[in-house]
Amino acid sequence: MPSEFELIRRHFVRPTPQAILGPGDDCALIASSPGMQLAITTDMLIAGTHFLPNTDPHQLGWKTLAVNLSDLAAMGARPRWALLAGSLPAANEPWIAAFADGLFACASHYGVDVIGGDTTRGPLTFCLTAIGEVPVGTALRRDQALLDDDLWVSGQPGLAALGLAHLQGRTELAEVLVKPCLAALQRPLARVELGLELRQRGLAHAAIDVSDGLLADLGHVLERSAVAAELFVAQLPPLPAAADPVLARRCQLAGGDDYELVFSAAPARRAEIAELAVRLALPLWCCGRVIRATPGQLTLVDDDGQAVPIKDKGYDHFG
């Protein structure tokens, strides 16, 4: 049976052209570019909590990195480096090889060097730290939403939660929905290019990625910015036609695991944002507005202009 260090050497040591020194020593060595700040984020994925134990290892490798890159995207940072720590119940080398291939496929797609990490025996768990760069003082933050800002969301939140419901037997998706919903769940796309464009062009004031649910994550922006908001049901992305509409709406608002971006922007920038959506081939939906009310208050408004009771905002590990 290969040792810990042999497993690392075989599957996780690859060229790191953006680092001064990569895996193999006590520390990696990196140097940030002149005029840049480092944006650093970390996420933990635990079998049975963040992914099903029988998840395809290649897809899991991709997702382990992608969910961290989504945090960098939300701040308008360019991904550069990543470190991976993981515990494995056994040294199942074919499984590890597939996981590593998925991880490095994602790293290659987004231009990231995996520069180090650690492994140990234990319950199947991964903790990845991603590091990006952003010009000094320009990072998109949660605490910068302004009164009268529009609220936008990218893509189609809710597909990942529908995919999970399908796998767990809580719904049976129409055949046409199975592939896109499972792809959203198992191979999410971090909206890095969108985040970079929003920052570079000064389009967004505040931003966050949707990991715990659209309502929950938007609520974090409102709390940190000390503002309130209205979210208009009629202006949200259309629900998949072949899905149960009640479940689809719940997944859209509170499902999480989407890794789309929610951001606020001045109404005067609507045309530029619409043009950006076309250029990126990524739908961007203007679905709400920032208002003056109790800080953190979020009101869901139906087609008739009436407030809709909010029963579930999203996922909370300790809720």
Side-chain angles (χ1 to χ4, degrees), residues 233-271:
V233 173
Q235 294 173 212
L236 289 167
L239 299 177
D244 171 3
V246 175
L247 175 62
R249 183 68 76 193
R250 188 162 68 245
C251 289
Q252 182 184 68
L253 295 174
D257 230 12
D258 296 300
Y259 305 102
E260 298 292 350
L261 297 189
V262 177
F263 59 95
S264 78
R269 312 303 292 272
R270 289 176 187 170

Side-chain angles (χ1 to χ4, degrees), residues 90-116:
N92 181 337
E93 200 159 359
W95 192 98
I96 294 170
F99 175 90
D101 285 346
L103 176 79
F104 282 99
C106 186
S108 176
H109 182 81
Y110 291 102
V112 173
D113 283 354
V114 179
I115 58 174

Side-chain angles (χ1 to χ4, degrees), residues 2-316:
S3 68
E4 167 194 357
F5 302 104
E6 181 62 18
L7 284 174
I8 293 172
R9 187 191 65 78
R10 289 183 189 177
H11 302 292
F12 295 100
V13 176
R14 306 199 185 184
T16 55
Q18 299 181 97
I20 298 168
L21 181 65
D25 215 309
D26 289 299
C27 296
L29 297 176
I30 60 175
S32 59
S33 305
M36 293 289 189
Q37 292 176 318
L38 295 180
I40 304 172
T41 182
T42 190
D43 270 307
M44 185 175 292
L45 282 77
I46 302 172
T49 299
H50 301 94
F51 60 91
L52 299 176
N54 62 349
T55 297
D56 174 80
H58 189 279
Q59 304 280 30
L60 181 58
W62 175 286
K63 184 172 183 176
T64 298
L65 178 55
V67 300
N68 281 266
L69 300 186
S70 181
D71 287 331
L72 296 181
M75 299 197 79
R78 184 176 299 280
R80 295 290 305 277
W81 306 282
L83 298 102
L84 175 68
S87 68
L88 303 165
N92 181 337
E93 200 159 359
W95 192 98
I96 294 170
F99 175 90
D101 285 346
L103 176 79
F104 282 99
C106 186
S108 176
H109 182 81
Y110 291 102
V112 173
D113 283 354
V114 179
I115 58 174
D118 189 29
T119 60
T120 189
R121 183 185 295 271
L124 187 58
T125 302
F126 297 99
C127 184
L128 190 139
T129 298
I131 306 169
E133 290 185 324
V134 61
V136 173
T138 68
L140 301 176
R141 294 167 44 156
R142 300 179 182 184
D143 60 359
Q144 300 295 312
L146 302 177
L147 288 175
D148 299 322
D149 270 359
D150 289 331
L151 293 172
W152 296 76
V153 65
S154 66
Q156 194 167 9
L159 293 186
L162 281 172
L164 179 60
H166 177 78
L167 291 179
Q168 293 178 330
R170 292 184 284 116
T171 191
E172 185 173 347
L173 292 177
E175 185 176 350
V176 69
L177 285 179
V178 172
K179 185 175 181 180
C181 289
L182 292 185
L185 174 68
Q186 297 174 338
R187 195 181 175 89
L189 295 174
R191 301 302 187 187
V192 170
E193 191 172 1
L194 173 60
L196 289 172
E197 290 280 356
L198 292 175
R199 174 186 57 77
Q200 290 169 350
R201 297 171 60 174
L203 292 174
H205 292 148
I208 192 171
D209 73 323
V210 181
S211 56
D212 294 326
L214 175 58
L215 297 181
D217 290 312
L218 177 55
H220 298 320
V221 171
L222 302 181
E223 291 170 4
R224 293 294 300 276
S225 297
V227 294
E230 292 177 326
L231 197 65
F232 303 111
V233 173
Q235 294 173 212
L236 289 167
L239 299 177
D244 171 3
V246 175
L247 175 62
R249 183 68 76 193
R250 188 162 68 245
C251 289
Q252 182 184 68
L253 295 174
D257 230 12
D258 296 300
Y259 305 102
E260 298 292 350
L261 297 189
V262 177
F263 59 95
S264 78
R269 312 303 292 272
R270 289 176 187 170
E272 293 174 83
I273 294 172
E275 180 275 330
L276 178 61
V278 172
R279 188 154 56 80
L280 296 181
L282 174 64
L284 299 176
W285 308 91
C286 184
C287 56
R289 63 174 181 169
V290 176
I291 62 173
R292 188 185 304 278
T294 303
Q297 178 180 309
L298 177 58
T299 303
L300 192 61
V301 181
D302 67 14
D303 296 0
D304 298 320
Q306 301 300 309
V308 179
I310 297 175
K311 298 179 181 179
D312 182 16
K313 289 189 175 182
Y315 186 75
D316 182 344

